[in-house]
Amino acid sequence: ELDKPVVAAVTGAAIGIGTTMLLHCDFVFVADDARLAMPFVALGLVPEYASSLLVPQLMGARLAAEKLLLGDPFTGQQAVDCGIANAVLPAPEVALHARRVAERFNALPPGAVREAKRLMRAPQREQVL
């Protein structure tokens, strides 16, 4: 429910909650060698933190079933292709790029940013409630 944009930078592995948290970010940038996975079912767990709602919205039911039920690892490029991430970059550039994107909000009218984010997130919030 944070009213400011949230920017994530992923290098290395994002497994389980590490991937699930990305679903709640406004911008996600991943390294070209990043590995992501949501192995909940294989671990005897159910997907958490609204991933069972958000993953099908992002990628459709069939691809969501592949990611959530089978839990196979996927690459940074696959994260972009299925809607989890905005862009894949060389690992050394990810954090700097994410920081530059985040800093761009300093020049924007904060009220307009907050209201635009609220309006974009309203449909998801209504489904959860």
Side-chain angles (χ1 to χ4, degrees):
E1 294 188 29
L2 188 64
D3 63 355
K4 295 179 182 178
V6 178
V7 181
V10 178
T11 58
I15 308 299
I17 191 68
T19 296
T20 304
M21 288 177 60
L22 301 175
L23 304 172
H24 299 276
C25 296
D26 299 293
F27 296 88
V28 176
F29 303 102
V30 295
D32 52 7
D33 61 353
R35 299 294 288 168
L36 299 90
M38 296 177 279
F40 306 111
V41 173
L43 297 171
L45 304 169
V46 295
E48 92 288 89
Y49 205 44
S51 58
S52 59
L53 171 70
L54 299 175
V55 171
Q57 286 178 346
L58 280 173
M59 55 183 86
R62 285 180 181 72
L63 191 53
E66 180 182 314
K67 301 301 182 207
L68 290 172
L69 297 177
L70 296 177
D72 292 339
F74 52 102
T75 66
Q77 184 59 55
Q78 290 169 317
V80 171
D81 294 343
C82 69
I84 292 176
N86 294 82
V88 61
L89 302 153
E93 297 174 22
V94 174
L96 182 58
H97 182 77
R99 182 182 199 92
R100 285 182 180 148
V101 169
E103 288 172 348
R104 289 179 62 187
F105 290 103
N106 291 334
L108 297 173
V113 171
R114 282 192 302 274
E115 187 62 12
K117 181 174 174 174
R118 185 190 68 75
L119 290 169
M120 288 189 302
R121 295 288 182 145
Q124 285 177 349
R125 185 170 165 71
E126 290 172 12
Q127 283 183 322
V128 173
L129 299 177

